[in-house]
Amino acid sequence: MALGAVAEPPVRRRGSDYAQLSRRITQAGLLERRPGWYVARIVLTLGAFVAGWVAVFLLGDSWWQLPLAAVMAVATTQVAFLGHDAGHRQMFRRRGPSEMVGLFAGNLAVGLSYGWWVDKHNRHHANPNHEDEDPDVGAGALVWTPEQALETRGFGRWLAQRQAFLFFPMLLLEGLNLHVASIRAIVGREPDGRYSTPMRHRAVEGLLLVVHTVGYVALLLAVMSPVKALLFAVVHQALWGLYMGCSFAPNHKGMPMPTAEDELDFLRKQVLTSRNVRGSRLVDTALGGLNYQIEHHLFPNMPRANLRRAQPIVRAYCAEQGIPYEETGLVESYRQALGHLHEVGRPLRG
């Protein structure tokens, strides 16, 4: 979908449009912290996570560990969502407590570098779906524009031709990719010796990743045979990557991709490139609140529990301003994302 296909919104008083919406959201009290909600969410999420690992220990050398690995993939993703909220300071206004929760949830519990993720995710929020600025749509295993597709060679070109069909299978490797990217971010340096990724607590992050890895391997080998331990890790990490990918994929893929020539204010930059996924509170929980992607991008530090209440305000305001507001069901969001991936690879298929 190109920006040129979007109806031109009114330009009068454009510079103040976001400020007006922000006042409505603030007056509704939706930027206020929800400490009680987060205490309950943290207790329930970490309680389930710890209980799952206790079950792994008690179950011992059994093939029933493999279904339990699938359950632990869900629990691990829910813990990662807590790290996401902490990174946006949805829980606490102060940096210190937010970083503490983020380091615990990310590095220690999940094995994902919190500092690397915050740096990458902040760049995504600043310029969502911008090919040159958003790291989430840079050319890699997947390509997001026909230009990126035409630059591929060898196996990468073969992959780009079929990426829509291979998308979900490829997500099974996303967990491994996140672990590797975390390690690279901590140790990677530029040619001049500077670290490639800015990080406030590099030594602590590295130590916590080591503790996570050693603890993970030691626990599995202590309670089950090497073969079962390996299969548990494969199932757990593959399904965790799949769940993470399925949670983030519906949000921007297939939406407009601004370029340097597009002059968009903050409000339109965030709304036009984002897609909401409608559903019940079960969908809210399953997707960690990311189904309210428009509201989340407009107000990243809004507590997750307030996003549902903010949606009708934002949607009505966008209608007033003539700004298209994209919202679909979950299945349709995947159809649009896969359709975009398939279309991007068309030049390679003749």
Side-chain angles (χ1 to χ4, degrees), residues 52-60 65 68 72 219-220 223-224 232:
W53 286 116
V54 170
V56 169
F57 180 79
L58 295 177
L59 191 56
Q65 292 281 12
L68 185 54
M72 287 308 302
L219 174 60
L220 296 187
V223 301
M224 61 187 88
F232 180 99

Side-chain angles (χ1 to χ4, degrees), residues 40-154:
R41 177 66 60 179
I42 290 172
V43 169
L44 289 173
T45 302
L46 293 184
F49 183 74
V50 172
W53 286 116
V54 170
V56 169
F57 180 79
L58 295 177
L59 191 56
D61 192 25
S62 168
W63 288 109
W64 286 105
Q65 292 281 12
L66 299 187
L68 185 54
V71 174
M72 287 308 302
V74 175
T76 301
T77 306
Q78 289 295 321
V79 172
F81 288 153
L82 292 179
H84 171 269
D85 292 3
H88 283 296
R89 299 196 195 179
Q90 295 176 14
M91 301 177 181
F92 314 100
R93 294 188 185 278
R94 293 173 52 225
R95 171 183 284 174
S98 298
E99 289 184 337
M100 186 178 300
V101 173
L103 290 170
F104 178 86
N107 294 66
L108 185 60
V110 176
L112 174 68
S113 169
Y114 174 74
W116 165 73
W117 176 84
V118 167
D119 172 71
K120 177 176 178 288
H121 199 60
N122 283 346
R123 286 186 284 130
H124 158 70
H125 268 262
N127 292 285
N129 254 23
H130 193 293
E131 181 181 357
D132 299 322
E133 305 291 343
D134 183 355
D136 288 351
V137 293
L142 298 171
V143 291
W144 308 103
T145 67
E147 292 75 18
Q148 290 178 352
L150 290 173
E151 291 175 358
T152 57
R153 296 292 183 271

Side-chain angles (χ1 to χ4, degrees), residues 19 34 63 70 99 142 196 206 208 230 236 256 260 263 324 335 348:
R34 298 284 299 272
W63 288 109
E99 289 184 337
L142 298 171
S196 304
L208 291 177
L230 177 61
H236 177 216
E263 296 183 3
R335 189 198 67 77
L348 306 182

Side-chain angles (χ1 to χ4, degrees), residues 77-342:
T77 306
Q78 289 295 321
V79 172
F81 288 153
L82 292 179
H84 171 269
D85 292 3
H88 283 296
R89 299 196 195 179
Q90 295 176 14
M91 301 177 181
F92 314 100
R93 294 188 185 278
R94 293 173 52 225
R95 171 183 284 174
S98 298
E99 289 184 337
M100 186 178 300
V101 173
L103 290 170
F104 178 86
N107 294 66
L108 185 60
V110 176
L112 174 68
S113 169
Y114 174 74
W116 165 73
W117 176 84
V118 167
D119 172 71
K120 177 176 178 288
H121 199 60
N122 283 346
R123 286 186 284 130
H124 158 70
H125 268 262
N127 292 285
N129 254 23
H130 193 293
E131 181 181 357
D132 299 322
E133 305 291 343
D134 183 355
D136 288 351
V137 293
L142 298 171
V143 291
W144 308 103
T145 67
E147 292 75 18
Q148 290 178 352
L150 290 173
E151 291 175 358
T152 57
R153 296 292 183 271
F155 179 69
R157 173 158 292 207
W158 181 89
L159 201 63
Q161 292 174 334
R162 301 161 177 82
Q163 61 180 5
F165 301 99
L166 297 174
F167 178 71
F168 289 112
M170 289 173 67
L171 286 182
L172 296 172
L173 297 175
E174 179 62 12
L176 177 61
N177 175 58
L178 292 173
H179 292 310
V180 172
S182 295
I183 296 171
R184 286 179 174 172
I186 291 175
V187 303
R189 294 177 182 269
E190 300 290 350
D192 61 5
R194 293 181 298 110
Y195 284 108
S196 304
T197 304
M199 203 172 293
R200 283 172 51 83
H201 307 288
R202 192 176 304 275
V204 173
E205 292 216 24
L207 176 61
L208 291 177
L209 284 184
V210 170
V211 172
H212 166 84
T213 304
V214 171
Y216 185 86
V217 174
L219 174 60
L220 296 187
L221 291 178
V223 301
M224 61 187 88
S225 68
V227 171
K228 291 189 180 72
L230 177 61
L231 291 175
F232 180 99
V234 169
V235 172
H236 177 216
Q237 297 300 321
L239 294 183
W240 171 56
L242 178 65
Y243 188 178
M244 288 283 284
C246 287
S247 300
F248 285 88
N251 303 335
H252 302 280
K253 310 315 178 201
M255 295 300 292
M257 298 185 67
T259 66
E261 287 71 36
D262 294 301
E263 296 183 3
L264 299 174
D265 65 334
F266 179 79
L267 175 65
R268 288 162 179 80
K269 181 193 297 185
Q270 303 299 337
V271 175
L272 294 177
T273 60
S274 301
R275 176 194 297 112
N276 274 15
V277 176
R278 72 173 65 92
S280 64
R281 293 187 184 276
L282 177 61
V283 174
D284 295 358
T285 299
L287 297 182
L290 297 175
N291 47 315
Y292 300 107
Q293 192 68 194
I294 295 174
E295 289 71 29
H296 171 58
H297 263 257
L298 290 171
F299 305 97
N301 63 344
M302 179 182 290
R304 192 197 311 178
N306 290 347
L307 293 170
R308 173 178 280 267
R309 295 167 55 200
Q311 184 189 31
I313 298 175
V314 173
R315 184 168 50 199
Y317 186 77
C318 286
E320 292 176 18
Q321 299 299 317
I323 303 174
Y325 182 101
E326 180 73 13
E327 183 181 27
T328 70
L330 184 61
V331 174
E332 174 62 16
S333 71
Y334 290 129
R335 189 198 67 77
Q336 292 184 18
L338 294 176
H340 173 74
L341 290 175
H342 188 65

